[in-house]
Amino acid sequence: MAGKGGVGKTVVTATMARAAAKLGLSTLVIEVEGKSGLPSMFGQPALDYEEVVLSHGGGPDGEAEVRARTLTPDEALLDYLRDHGLSRISKRLVASGALDVVATAAPGIKDILILGKVKQLERMGDYDLLLLDAPAAGHAITFLQSARALLDTVRVGPINAQAQAVLEMLTDHARCRVVLVSLPEETPVNELVDTAFSLEDRVGIGLAPVVVNGLYDEIEGVGASAVEAAAAAGATLRKGEAAVLEAAAQFRADRMELQVEQTARLADQLPLAQLRLPFLFTTDIGPAELDLLADRLLGQLDQLPEVV
Ligand SMILES: Nc1ncnc2c1ncn2[C@@H]1O[C@H](COP(=O)(O)OP(=O)(O)OP(=O)(O)O)[C@@H](O)[C@H]1O
Ligand SMILES: [Mg+2]
């Protein structure tokens, strides 16, 4: 999942995981940047490097399990060294901050450590689906480009081999796709379109349908005739209330018009299917809200041109 900061990447990651569980697909969610609200959407505490269960599978509907973990470059390096028979020196090496020194000399090394670990998890095949909650768009491009960039700087040896294997995964559209997320607003849409072309051209990565998040749902009766609708519903409006109601309805109508415009513009500029998620008027997205979002997503699957 990639997209501009704050557009809902984490919410969409959680929604996809929940939807996958309902489809019976076991999922591992991977977080790479700090703390997010993802576990709380499943009613769970913060994540760790060790896998935790976000929601148990089973039940009458045969739901699959959702697990999650974080990945950090330091821990990924420890794992890598351990897997290559170097555990004796690995702890000291990582504790000494050697990774930071190397990372300065070869930018992208931290990204490749994370992506290398993702590749290892993918090859292990313990899950039907891996969902990576990627960093914000600007960084997502550098992040996903790291493999190709490293291949140019490091031409032989284990880092080269690692970068090669990561690039193979990233460019194999059957193994890996990027889901770009946007709000139905001008700047995020522009940025999504730019990111989409950068990812395709510079990384060669496949794009899944895009997700437009935060769309206002139609409310029946709320429109130009909000006051009439309120009256029809038996509400008696006090002085001044009619004007406020009218203004609120107008605001919402304008907002929705803008959203329709931006969504159409996105479809125009980017020939990718769109999945749409509603804006939820709530302060916190918890399990109930997540369920609602997942059902909305699943309701659109049959409109997609191909199985994702
Ligand atoms: N469909 C929605 N309805 C209501 N609130 C939403 C929706 N999607 C996201 N939010 C809220 O918007 C905020 C940003 O969402 P989220 O954290 O998923 O964005 P992000 O793209 O992951 O941000 P960052 O770039 O900081 O990681 C959160 O408070 C989240 O609860
Ligand atoms: Mg996030």
Side-chain angles (χ1 to χ4, degrees):
M1 245 56 65
K4 196 170 153 59
V7 294
K9 294 178 294 295
T10 301
V11 167
V12 171
T13 304
T15 301
M16 292 241 172
R18 187 74 196 95
K22 286 173 182 253
L23 290 175
L25 300 169
S26 65
T27 302
L28 177 68
V29 175
I30 301 168
E31 293 249 293
V32 295
E33 245 182 18
K35 285 202 184 96
S36 79
L38 186 125
S40 72
M41 294 175 210
F42 286 86
Q44 301 289 340
L47 299 181
D48 205 348
Y49 194 75
E50 303 298 327
E51 273 178 33
V52 296
V53 176
L54 284 185
S55 71
H56 292 280
D61 303 327
E63 279 185 11
E65 198 174 52
V66 179
R67 286 172 171 253
R69 65 176 294 168
T70 57
L71 274 186
T72 65
D74 281 349
E75 302 261 32
L77 177 60
L78 278 177
D79 281 359
Y80 180 86
L81 294 172
R82 210 177 295 130
D83 294 348
H84 291 77
L86 295 166
S87 49
R88 221 160 39 82
I89 61 154
S90 62
K91 279 244 159 49
R92 231 175 337 133
L93 194 70
V94 170
S96 71
L99 180 55
D100 287 322
V101 176
V102 178
T104 315
I109 199 94
K110 289 192 170 187
D111 295 338
I112 212 69
L113 281 166
I114 289 192
L115 287 169
K117 184 74 196 177
V118 171
K119 182 217 61 187
Q120 188 195 43
L121 291 167
E122 187 246 0
R123 286 281 91 156
M124 272 162 31
D126 291 347
Y127 296 92
D128 296 318
L129 183 67
L130 298 183
L131 293 173
L132 180 74
D133 187 2
H139 184 195
I141 297 174
T142 356
F143 178 64
L144 295 169
Q145 249 192 320
S146 61
R148 205 179 281 288
L150 266 178
L151 280 183
D152 293 338
T153 21
V154 188
R155 299 196 172 273
V156 289
I159 294 180
N160 179 280
Q162 182 83 321
Q164 199 79 53
V166 164
L167 197 61
E168 256 168 46
M169 172 183 71
L170 292 180
T171 53
D172 184 340
H173 300 188
R175 286 166 73 191
C176 169
R177 302 266 194 114
V178 171
V179 175
L180 289 169
V181 183
S182 181
L183 292 171
E185 292 167 18
E186 175 132 13
T187 318
V189 164
N190 291 345
E191 195 162 311
L192 186 147
V193 173
D194 287 347
T195 308
F197 287 113
S198 293
L199 288 176
E200 278 187 328
D201 298 347
R202 308 214 312 247
V203 191
I205 205 160
L207 296 173
V210 296
V211 175
V212 182
N213 180 37
L215 286 156
Y216 284 14
D217 271 334
E218 295 277 354
I219 304 178
E220 221 181 305
V222 174
S225 56
V227 175
E228 279 165 41
T236 16
L237 298 176
R238 277 179 304 207
K239 194 164 173 275
E241 281 180 345
V244 171
L245 188 59
E246 207 77 75
Q250 191 57 50
F251 175 82
R252 195 182 167 103
D254 291 347
R255 251 328 257 262
M256 287 177 73
E257 200 182 306
L258 205 88
Q259 294 192 337
V260 169
E261 249 170 58
Q262 293 303 328
T263 316
R265 197 166 65 86
L266 178 60
D268 237 30
Q269 298 192 3
L270 200 66
L272 285 176
Q274 288 181 9
L275 292 164
R276 297 172 184 193
L277 291 177
F279 183 82
L280 301 180
F281 288 84
T282 165
T283 45
D284 275 313
I285 294 181
E289 290 76 23
L290 194 58
D291 232 40
L292 193 155
L293 290 173
D295 286 339
R296 281 294 192 94
L297 195 71
L298 290 171
Q300 297 168 69
L301 284 193
D302 55 350
Q303 295 165 28
L304 293 181
E306 58 181 302
V307 177
V308 186

